[in-house]
Amino acid sequence: MAQKNLLKYILLGLITEKPKTGYDLKKEFDTEIGEFWSVKHSQIYLELKRLEKEGEITSDTGFFGNKVEKTYYAITALGKKHLDEWKYSYDTALAVNKDEFVLKLYFIKDRHDERLPSLLKEQLDMRQEKLSHLEGRRTLLFSTPQDIEKQYGHYLILDHAIRRESEYVTWLKEAIDSLKGNEK
């Protein structure tokens, strides 16, 4: 089954409220969108060219308030139509979670494998750091009920990510504790 091009919809969604440059869009991936979706910088520009060719966005290149030439991308009526169609459609297939750490665990057969403690500890450190980062973003972005109401979908995604990372941390701690119990 062919994979759906979701980058198209992400870019259309990001420029719905106001035109943005490719750099602005990349910054969104580095902060908010990057919490649940990753993309290479070059993919953004290739997709923007394709969307413009298909009439879903327009571009305006010029000098806007400074001496650096910039290109701003804006959504067209056709782009809005396609974005709305996608937003209100449903896909019955669940996405596969590609987690290299879990894949490595799969291939460890022996509970006494010498790599296991360091592998688990390394992952725990990374997950705790990510959890701390997510909690900081929540505090920064959603400190009032009004902030939550303005970006409720974003709030839900961040809440989901915090819960996911919190559970991952709990699971890793339990796995590490189970190894300690095995040493006796």
PDB file of all heavy atoms in Angstrom, residues 149-160:
ATOM      1  N   GLU A 149      -7.337  27.021  25.290  1.00  0.00           N
ATOM      2  CA  GLU A 149      -8.489  27.184  24.393  1.00  0.00           C
ATOM      3  C   GLU A 149      -8.080  27.649  23.000  1.00  0.00           C
ATOM      4  O   GLU A 149      -8.679  27.247  22.008  1.00  0.00           O
ATOM      5  CB  GLU A 149      -9.496  28.175  24.995  1.00  0.00           C
ATOM      6  CG  GLU A 149     -10.306  27.600  26.125  1.00  0.00           C
ATOM      7  CD  GLU A 149     -11.112  26.369  25.724  1.00  0.00           C
ATOM      8  OE1 GLU A 149     -11.763  26.367  24.660  1.00  0.00           O
ATOM      9  OE2 GLU A 149     -11.081  25.385  26.486  1.00  0.00           O
ATOM     10  N   LYS A 150      -7.063  28.495  22.904  1.00  0.00           N
ATOM     11  CA  LYS A 150      -6.629  29.030  21.609  1.00  0.00           C
ATOM     12  C   LYS A 150      -5.984  27.977  20.723  1.00  0.00           C
ATOM     13  O   LYS A 150      -6.042  28.067  19.511  1.00  0.00           O
ATOM     14  CB  LYS A 150      -5.650  30.197  21.807  1.00  0.00           C
ATOM     15  CG  LYS A 150      -6.316  31.485  22.231  1.00  0.00           C
ATOM     16  CD  LYS A 150      -5.338  32.644  22.181  1.00  0.00           C
ATOM     17  CE  LYS A 150      -4.529  32.699  23.448  1.00  0.00           C
ATOM     18  NZ  LYS A 150      -3.631  33.841  23.542  1.00  0.00           N
ATOM     19  N   GLN A 151      -5.340  26.980  21.336  1.00  0.00           N
ATOM     20  CA  GLN A 151      -4.617  25.935  20.584  1.00  0.00           C
ATOM     21  C   GLN A 151      -4.921  24.573  21.180  1.00  0.00           C
ATOM     22  O   GLN A 151      -4.010  23.830  21.556  1.00  0.00           O
ATOM     23  CB  GLN A 151      -3.108  26.217  20.648  1.00  0.00           C
ATOM     24  CG  GLN A 151      -2.660  27.435  19.900  1.00  0.00           C
ATOM     25  CD  GLN A 151      -2.627  27.179  18.407  1.00  0.00           C
ATOM     26  OE1 GLN A 151      -2.389  26.066  17.946  1.00  0.00           O
ATOM     27  NE2 GLN A 151      -2.875  28.205  17.626  1.00  0.00           N
ATOM     28  N   TYR A 152      -6.200  24.239  21.268  1.00  0.00           N
ATOM     29  CA  TYR A 152      -6.599  23.034  21.990  1.00  0.00           C
ATOM     30  C   TYR A 152      -6.015  21.755  21.388  1.00  0.00           C
ATOM     31  O   TYR A 152      -5.562  20.867  22.111  1.00  0.00           O
ATOM     32  CB  TYR A 152      -8.123  22.938  22.092  1.00  0.00           C
ATOM     33  CG  TYR A 152      -8.546  21.880  23.076  1.00  0.00           C
ATOM     34  CD1 TYR A 152      -8.253  22.011  24.426  1.00  0.00           C
ATOM     35  CD2 TYR A 152      -9.210  20.737  22.652  1.00  0.00           C
ATOM     36  CE1 TYR A 152      -8.621  21.036  25.336  1.00  0.00           C
ATOM     37  CE2 TYR A 152      -9.588  19.757  23.561  1.00  0.00           C
ATOM     38  CZ  TYR A 152      -9.292  19.917  24.904  1.00  0.00           C
ATOM     39  OH  TYR A 152      -9.645  18.953  25.800  1.00  0.00           O
ATOM     40  N   GLY A 153      -5.990  21.658  20.070  1.00  0.00           N
ATOM     41  CA  GLY A 153      -5.417  20.468  19.430  1.00  0.00           C
ATOM     42  C   GLY A 153      -3.940  20.316  19.769  1.00  0.00           C
ATOM     43  O   GLY A 153      -3.472  19.218  20.070  1.00  0.00           O
ATOM     44  N   HIS A 154      -3.220  21.413  19.719  1.00  0.00           N
ATOM     45  CA  HIS A 154      -1.798  21.401  20.069  1.00  0.00           C
ATOM     46  C   HIS A 154      -1.622  20.988  21.529  1.00  0.00           C
ATOM     47  O   HIS A 154      -0.738  20.199  21.861  1.00  0.00           O
ATOM     48  CB  HIS A 154      -1.214  22.791  19.817  1.00  0.00           C
ATOM     49  CG  HIS A 154       0.267  22.869  20.011  1.00  0.00           C
ATOM     50  ND1 HIS A 154       0.971  23.991  19.701  1.00  0.00           N
ATOM     51  CD2 HIS A 154       1.180  21.986  20.482  1.00  0.00           C
ATOM     52  CE1 HIS A 154       2.251  23.798  19.982  1.00  0.00           C
ATOM     53  NE2 HIS A 154       2.398  22.589  20.458  1.00  0.00           N
ATOM     54  N   TYR A 155      -2.477  21.509  22.401  1.00  0.00           N
ATOM     55  CA  TYR A 155      -2.429  21.142  23.808  1.00  0.00           C
ATOM     56  C   TYR A 155      -2.636  19.629  23.981  1.00  0.00           C
ATOM     57  O   TYR A 155      -1.912  18.980  24.735  1.00  0.00           O
ATOM     58  CB  TYR A 155      -3.489  21.914  24.595  1.00  0.00           C
ATOM     59  CG  TYR A 155      -3.628  21.426  26.012  1.00  0.00           C
ATOM     60  CD1 TYR A 155      -2.698  21.785  26.982  1.00  0.00           C
ATOM     61  CD2 TYR A 155      -4.673  20.574  26.369  1.00  0.00           C
ATOM     62  CE1 TYR A 155      -2.804  21.308  28.283  1.00  0.00           C
ATOM     63  CE2 TYR A 155      -4.790  20.099  27.668  1.00  0.00           C
ATOM     64  CZ  TYR A 155      -3.854  20.464  28.625  1.00  0.00           C
ATOM     65  OH  TYR A 155      -3.951  19.989  29.901  1.00  0.00           O
ATOM     66  N   LEU A 156      -3.621  19.069  23.275  1.00  0.00           N
ATOM     67  CA  LEU A 156      -3.884  17.635  23.373  1.00  0.00           C
ATOM     68  C   LEU A 156      -2.679  16.807  22.921  1.00  0.00           C
ATOM     69  O   LEU A 156      -2.339  15.798  23.541  1.00  0.00           O
ATOM     70  CB  LEU A 156      -5.116  17.254  22.559  1.00  0.00           C
ATOM     71  CG  LEU A 156      -6.463  17.705  23.116  1.00  0.00           C
ATOM     72  CD1 LEU A 156      -7.576  17.359  22.134  1.00  0.00           C
ATOM     73  CD2 LEU A 156      -6.722  17.077  24.472  1.00  0.00           C
ATOM     74  N   ILE A 157      -2.032  17.242  21.836  1.00  0.00           N
ATOM     75  CA  ILE A 157      -0.867  16.519  21.325  1.00  0.00           C
ATOM     76  C   ILE A 157       0.269  16.560  22.343  1.00  0.00           C
ATOM     77  O   ILE A 157       0.916  15.552  22.610  1.00  0.00           O
ATOM     78  CB  ILE A 157      -0.407  17.121  19.978  1.00  0.00           C
ATOM     79  CG1 ILE A 157      -1.438  16.827  18.901  1.00  0.00           C
ATOM     80  CG2 ILE A 157       0.967  16.592  19.579  1.00  0.00           C
ATOM     81  CD1 ILE A 157      -1.248  17.643  17.652  1.00  0.00           C
ATOM     82  N   LEU A 158       0.478  17.726  22.932  1.00  0.00           N
ATOM     83  CA  LEU A 158       1.541  17.866  23.930  1.00  0.00           C
ATOM     84  C   LEU A 158       1.227  17.027  25.173  1.00  0.00           C
ATOM     85  O   LEU A 158       2.107  16.353  25.723  1.00  0.00           O
ATOM     86  CB  LEU A 158       1.733  19.339  24.289  1.00  0.00           C
ATOM     87  CG  LEU A 158       2.966  19.709  25.098  1.00  0.00           C
ATOM     88  CD1 LEU A 158       4.242  19.187  24.463  1.00  0.00           C
ATOM     89  CD2 LEU A 158       3.040  21.221  25.257  1.00  0.00           C
ATOM     90  N   ASP A 159      -0.028  17.027  25.586  1.00  0.00           N
ATOM     91  CA  ASP A 159      -0.440  16.207  26.721  1.00  0.00           C
ATOM     92  C   ASP A 159      -0.205  14.720  26.415  1.00  0.00           C
ATOM     93  O   ASP A 159       0.295  13.978  27.255  1.00  0.00           O
ATOM     94  CB  ASP A 159      -1.915  16.470  27.038  1.00  0.00           C
ATOM     95  CG  ASP A 159      -2.382  15.696  28.256  1.00  0.00           C
ATOM     96  OD1 ASP A 159      -1.823  15.910  29.354  1.00  0.00           O
ATOM     97  OD2 ASP A 159      -3.317  14.871  28.115  1.00  0.00           O
ATOM     98  N   HIS A 160      -0.544  14.311  25.218  1.00  0.00           N
ATOM     99  CA  HIS A 160      -0.323  12.927  24.796  1.00  0.00           C
ATOM    100  C   HIS A 160       1.160  12.583  24.837  1.00  0.00           C
ATOM    101  O   HIS A 160       1.559  11.519  25.333  1.00  0.00           O
ATOM    102  CB  HIS A 160      -0.878  12.718  23.385  1.00  0.00           C
ATOM    103  CG  HIS A 160      -0.542  11.397  22.792  1.00  0.00           C
ATOM    104  ND1 HIS A 160       0.517  11.232  21.931  1.00  0.00           N
ATOM    105  CD2 HIS A 160      -1.096  10.179  22.943  1.00  0.00           C
ATOM    106  CE1 HIS A 160       0.591   9.964  21.576  1.00  0.00           C
ATOM    107  NE2 HIS A 160      -0.367   9.308  22.168  1.00  0.00           N
TER     108      HIS A 160
END
